[in-house]
Amino acid sequence: MFLAVAATEMEMAPLGRIMVASEVRCETLVTGVGPVESALRLVRFLCTDGRHIRGIINFGVAGAYVLLEGSQLAAPLDVCLAEREIAGDFGICYGDNMDYLPEELTGRIAYDIDRSQLLQAGLILQRNGLNPHIGTFITVNAVSGTRARGENLRQQWQGLCENMEGASIARVAEAFALPFLEVRCISNMVENRNPQNWRLDEACEIAARAASLLLRELEL
């Protein structure tokens, strides 16, 4: 059985409604926000109740990066699939800029998604009318509140969007030898912070729909 993982009840609730109305069966876990809490709760679940879990799907909302010239890789309410997850602000912060510590201190901070599983997920979403962007997701401890910080992270890693849990969940999945996929819907652009532009409710609904399709049709 799959484990569907989201950071908040707000992101998880639409999946619960879909599960009631359809044949989707899975375990669910709300991890809390951020890499520490998400890793802690996921490890605790897998160690106590997770022997039957055969794969993890992380879903929810994300902020999309804006290119220097003002164009967008992804727009609000677009669906995105991770091909790689990065622990993106694990280093030294200089205002809006980041320098990274040597790997012998931090360990690996990049996690690649299995290509065959990613291809299968992309085809499922396309077949159901959700045409996902595929790219690098960046996990941050502190959400980027300025476009300049977002641009720095984007350039450093060729990032598509940012979130606060994915890299830690990918790391746990790897440690437990479990297949892992991450699908998110863009709720906002990474710009100088302006919550009036956010579309959280709609993005939560779309992310849950995308996750439900993967849970129903994936073969891992």
Side-chain angles (χ1 to χ4, degrees):
M1 182 176 289
F2 285 100
L3 176 64
V5 174
T8 65
E9 294 286 355
M10 181 181 185
E11 291 161 298
M12 184 64 74
L15 180 63
R17 294 193 292 270
I18 293 171
M19 290 171 63
V20 169
S22 69
E23 297 180 356
V24 174
R25 293 183 63 253
C26 67
E27 293 280 357
T28 62
L29 178 68
V30 174
T31 64
V33 175
V36 174
E37 194 68 17
S38 58
L40 172 64
R41 294 193 195 183
L42 179 56
V43 167
R44 183 169 59 195
F45 176 90
L46 292 173
C47 288
T48 57
D49 301 306
R51 294 180 182 176
H52 59 299
I53 297 301
R54 61 188 181 95
I56 297 172
I57 294 177
N58 182 28
F59 72 100
V61 300
Y65 293 119
V66 182
L67 302 183
L68 272 176
E69 66 274 18
S71 60
Q72 301 172 178
L73 298 169
L77 305 188
D78 284 356
V79 172
C80 299
L81 275 170
E83 66 178 355
R84 184 168 67 146
E85 258 291 1
I86 306 291
D89 58 3
F90 191 14
I92 305 165
C93 182
Y94 298 98
D96 287 325
N97 298 315
M98 289 291 305
D99 281 349
Y100 292 89
L101 298 168
E103 187 172 330
E104 57 265 27
L105 289 180
T106 64
R108 189 159 48 89
I109 63 172
Y111 305 93
D112 292 325
I113 309 302
D114 180 86
R115 298 300 299 179
S116 64
Q117 294 164 16
L118 180 62
L119 176 61
Q120 187 184 164
L123 290 173
I124 289 169
L125 295 178
Q126 288 177 4
R127 192 163 60 240
N128 287 276
L130 297 176
N131 297 309
H133 302 272
I134 298 175
T136 296
F137 287 19
I138 298 177
T139 296
V140 292
N141 288 275
V143 170
S144 295
T146 66
R147 182 168 161 184
R149 182 183 192 252
E151 175 60 16
N152 178 264
L153 291 171
R154 186 199 68 77
Q155 285 193 9
Q156 179 73 38
W157 302 105
Q158 299 303 299
L160 173 61
C161 60
E162 70 176 42
N163 69 92
M164 298 184 74
E165 298 81 27
S168 61
I169 295 171
R171 177 68 182 92
V172 173
E174 180 182 83
F176 282 78
L178 291 170
F180 169 77
L181 284 167
E182 184 176 5
V183 60
R184 291 182 180 268
C185 182
I186 301 303
S187 58
N188 60 280
M189 304 307 297
V190 178
E191 58 187 357
N192 295 339
R193 191 171 175 84
N194 185 4
Q196 291 183 342
N197 292 336
W198 296 357
R199 302 179 69 178
L200 281 171
D201 291 340
E202 296 162 280
C204 287
E205 294 284 345
I206 294 170
R209 179 179 173 232
S212 73
L213 292 169
L214 299 181
L215 290 163
R216 187 175 64 200
E217 300 186 33
L218 268 175
E219 298 176 2
L220 297 182

